[in-house]
Amino acid sequence: VLTADSSKLLVVDDDENNRDMLSRRLARRGYAVEVASVGNEALEKINQAHYDLVLLDQMMPGVSGLDLLRLLRATYTPSDLPIIVVTAVDQSQSIVDALSHGANDYVMKPVDLPVIAARIEAQISRSRAERRGKFGDALTGLHNRTYFIDRLEHAIEKQKESSEKRGATGWLSVFLLDLDGFRVLNDSFGHKPGDAILIDVASRLQSKVPTLGAPGDVTLARLGGDEFAILVENLASPFQVKHDAEVMRAALKRPLVVEGRSIQVGASIGIALLNSGDAQAGKPKAQELLRDADLAMHKAKDLGKNRYEVFSPSLRAHAQSRMTLALDLAHAIDRGQLEVYYQPKIHLASRTIIGFEALIRWHHPERGLISPNQFIPVAEETGLIIPIGLWILRQSCQQLKTWQQKHLCSPPLSMNVNLSVKQLTDPELVHHVEKTLKQTGIDPDTLKLELTESSLMTEIESAKDMLSHLRELGVGLKLDDFGTGYSSLSYLRTLHFDSLKIDRSFINRLATDRETRAIVRTIIDLARTLNMGVVAEGIESEEQLQELVCLGCDTGQGFLFSKPVTGEAAERLLETPANAA
Ligand code: C2E
Ligand code: MG
Ligand code: MG
């Protein structure tokens, strides 16, 4: 009785009688059985088709069973291809040999059918379970990264062959789908609900698989974290990807229910397409295609999330130029290309300088001055932000000490230094700040560390401890670009911030937009209620300044007073009459 999923066995035995009898009896038990009489024939068969298990006679002329076993094990692991060796009854040494050469099990002649059937079953089910573990994702039951890449490589290969043989042109597509804001969800709800979200998303995507292509043409996997990948082979046309991406987005439209609350989860999708012409040219490999999809996915995120983007070669060029930038950046400190600029912080009512914000500049030998908005993200991605951040800290604290000695005022001049959230992951950070304070001899509360609201919120749990340690050193903590993230108000206190910097975009619209004015007033009131300081950034006009003074904001920065300038220029600003004590 052959069923569609009956296991496939290969019986290798030089003795015709043994071979026939064993294969007939196993076939009667429902196995699909093939036979081979010599080692070479067995090898050939195994290299051409997949067998669930091999029964191997140990005593064969020519290539012995043991030789064959050794050869096979060089390529196939015991879970890829289980092998049971059939040995003569009186040779315990040969059993030891077989097992030590990688046989999964052995049976003795004359073969007892129920025993051999039980051993075959045991080995096959174990190897299936192991392969599932290797190729499957335990959490969602989808395929995993290893399987996906394997499948993708096969698909590329298949496409290449069919276009070589039949001149057929075909398309395949790779979708990389990343949930938006999953980290924040995971941090605020905990891991269990986070897992439940992933399982739900997996089953929603799974339910759409039949819509995306014919059976066998669609492979869905979870690559890790909140990242899913979908391979669609034999596309009707490259334009199908648009439809497919919409199908995936539609699958997530219905809100998810987590701990009784309903949540809308969006996804950013990156798409890479391959046609048989490309495959033939031998260019793309699975990993590269996946990386292209990843670049497109990040572009979708950058463009506002919850959307899809198709990869284009210009994206790769962009990634490449970022890589070159990263390489150059690695030497920027040693080669003296970095410089700290200083922007004065102003007491608005008296228009005097109360301190500075340190803002990094990079003098690139070929590209000229590069803005921190361009290279700080690269520094964060590569980890270079840690040494660069320390350099800025040391540099600006030394500068502050010099100015404090020359310009006595009360309270003493202070320095704001921007910290990247990535620096909060450096276990040495607190130690370094402490050392810098000691070496430069500045009073801890004249150093203010600024953290950007939007970046902080994604790392909130891990940041908490670090911020409290920094606070214990006595330094100030400022929440930068306030209003651009989604801080819950309760966090402001628990995270130990002592002041807020209202984002430039609000100050910009302050004089012209009533709603913005209401928001700014609310922020200022909020800060006061929480007993926090408030600073306005990006003041460019007298109007904005007057508005802020009316609303009760006492400190600010902006081009109205001064752009960020070099250390020497900043020193000259300190010496202008209004500031010279
Ligand atoms: P930020 O910390 O919010 O700094 C304020 C930015 O606004 C600065 O840009 C400053 O030049 C600019 N700005 C100040 N006043 C005005 C104004 O009146 N009008 C306009 N249009 N712009 C004004 P910059 O120096 O290009 O820095 C951009 C961002 O790069 C900073 O935003 C900060 O997030 C980051 N950054 C700069 N230096 C460092 C650093 O040393 N470390 C780290 N981690 N990040 C830095
Ligand atoms: Mg800042
Ligand atoms: Mg800012």
Side-chain angles (χ1 to χ4, degrees), residues 432-494:
H432 282 301
V433 173
E434 195 175 13
K435 209 169 82 185
T436 308
L437 290 171
K438 265 210 196 99
Q439 284 173 350
T440 54
I442 59 169
D443 189 348
D445 75 351
T446 59
L447 174 63
K448 323 276 180 189
L449 301 175
E450 297 191 0
L451 283 140
T452 304
E453 185 194 21
S454 52
S455 62
L456 191 61
M457 291 309 133
T458 59
E459 314 272 346
I460 212 146
E461 283 308 317
S462 50
K464 222 171 178 169
D465 284 347
M466 192 55 95
L467 291 176
S468 90
H469 292 317
L470 287 171
R471 195 74 189 101
E472 280 160 18
L473 294 180
V475 302
L477 292 180
K478 300 200 178 269
L479 196 55
D480 205 349
D481 303 346
F482 186 76
T484 56
Y486 306 93
S487 355
S488 83
L489 297 178
S490 63
Y491 269 135
L492 296 180
R493 281 253 133 245
T494 51

Side-chain angles (χ1 to χ4, degrees), residues 357 450 480-481 501 503 537:
E357 175 175 8
E450 297 191 0
D480 205 349
D481 303 346
K501 281 183 92 165
D503 189 62
E537 59 178 3

Side-chain angles (χ1 to χ4, degrees), residues 11 13 15-29 33 35 55 86 108-113 116:
V11 173
D13 198 322
D15 183 307
E16 195 178 342
N17 285 337
N18 282 347
R19 208 165 58 219
D20 288 352
M21 186 179 65
L22 191 55
S23 59
R24 234 178 309 114
R25 288 163 76 188
L26 288 170
R28 232 176 283 137
R29 290 209 158 215
V33 188
V35 294
L55 276 168
V86 185
M108 286 192 279
K109 286 180 188 170
V111 170
D112 178 328
L113 196 70
I116 198 174

Side-chain angles (χ1 to χ4, degrees), residues 410-422:
S410 140
L413 291 170
S414 61
M415 182 66 72
N416 288 27
V417 177
N418 292 286
L419 272 197
S420 154
V421 278
K422 291 283 169 335

